[in-house]
């Protein structure tokens, strides 16, 4: 019922920054929580940040102080600002949307662009 299209990603040097965006369409009025996941090579997919429709946020400890999740409800878009990126954070980054507070597993996924951090 909800479709997600991501933009952003690419190659950045260690210490650099990237900004990802994700726009939802379809039954957007039903979206409660939006989030960002990532899956690094050889590792399991993990949730790194989430945000509710009222702006409450949650982050995995390793990205606190460096990453910022934000949400523009009028544009049905969620963003992830990533600062001071490290090579071990090279991964595919997935946008996700949940129709209730239980975001994992989400109801919808974005296509997952690649983020590569070089040393």
């Amino acid at each position: 019922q909800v479709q997600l299209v991501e933009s952003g990603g690419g190659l950045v040097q260690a210490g650099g920054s990237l900004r990802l965006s994700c726009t939802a369409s379809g039954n957007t009025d039903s979206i409660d929580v939006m989030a960002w996941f990532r899956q690094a090579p050889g590792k399991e997919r993990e949730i790194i940040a989430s945000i509710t429709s009222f702006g409450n946020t949650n982050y995995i400890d390793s990205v606190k102080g460096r990453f910022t999740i934000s949400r523009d409800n009028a544009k049905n878009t969620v963003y992830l600002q990533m600062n001071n990126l490290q090579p071990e954070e090279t991964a595919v980054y997935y946008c996700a949307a949940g129709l209730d507070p239980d975001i994992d597993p989400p109801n919808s996924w974005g296509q997952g662009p690649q983020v590569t951090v070089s040393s």
Side-chain angles (χ1 to χ4, degrees), residues 61-80:
D61 286 344
S62 63
V63 309
K64 289 180 179 178
R66 297 187 298 114
F67 289 13
T68 302
I69 187 171
S70 60
R71 184 172 180 174
D72 186 336
N73 290 330
K75 296 181 179 180
N76 297 315
T77 300
V78 65
Y79 305 91
L80 184 68

Side-chain angles (χ1 to χ4, degrees), residues 19 23 32 51 59 79 87:
R19 182 173 180 260
T23 299
D32 185 354
I51 185 168
Y59 299 91
Y79 305 91

Side-chain angles (χ1 to χ4, degrees), residues 11-17 83-90 116-119:
L11 176 65
V12 65
Q13 292 183 326
S17 299
N83 297 328
N84 194 21
L85 283 160
Q86 302 301 307
E88 61 267 26
E89 294 176 307
T90 292
T116 301
V117 185
S118 66
S119 59

Side-chain angles (χ1 to χ4, degrees), residues 2-117:
V2 175
Q3 297 80 46
L4 302 175
V5 178
E6 297 180 42
S7 63
L11 176 65
V12 65
Q13 292 183 326
S17 299
L18 285 174
R19 182 173 180 260
L20 307 179
S21 65
C22 173
T23 299
S25 62
N27 190 20
T28 57
D29 289 343
S30 66
I31 297 175
D32 185 354
V33 182
M34 300 193 74
W36 291 94
F37 291 73
R38 69 184 176 194
Q39 187 168 25
K43 296 184 178 180
E44 297 293 321
R45 184 181 62 213
E46 63 177 350
I47 188 168
I48 57 174
S50 65
I51 185 168
T52 71
S53 61
F54 294 99
N56 296 325
T57 59
N58 189 58
Y59 299 91
I60 192 172
D61 286 344
S62 63
V63 309
K64 289 180 179 178
R66 297 187 298 114
F67 289 13
T68 302
I69 187 171
S70 60
R71 184 172 180 174
D72 186 336
N73 290 330
K75 296 181 179 180
N76 297 315
T77 300
V78 65
Y79 305 91
L80 184 68
Q81 177 67 46
M82 303 183 291
N83 297 328
N84 194 21
L85 283 160
Q86 302 301 307
E88 61 267 26
E89 294 176 307
T90 292
V92 176
Y93 283 71
Y94 298 93
C95 175
L99 305 184
D100 56 49
D102 186 13
I103 188 59
D104 192 6
N107 296 101
S108 300
W109 291 98
Q111 74 273 21
Q114 174 75 39
V115 171
T116 301
V117 185

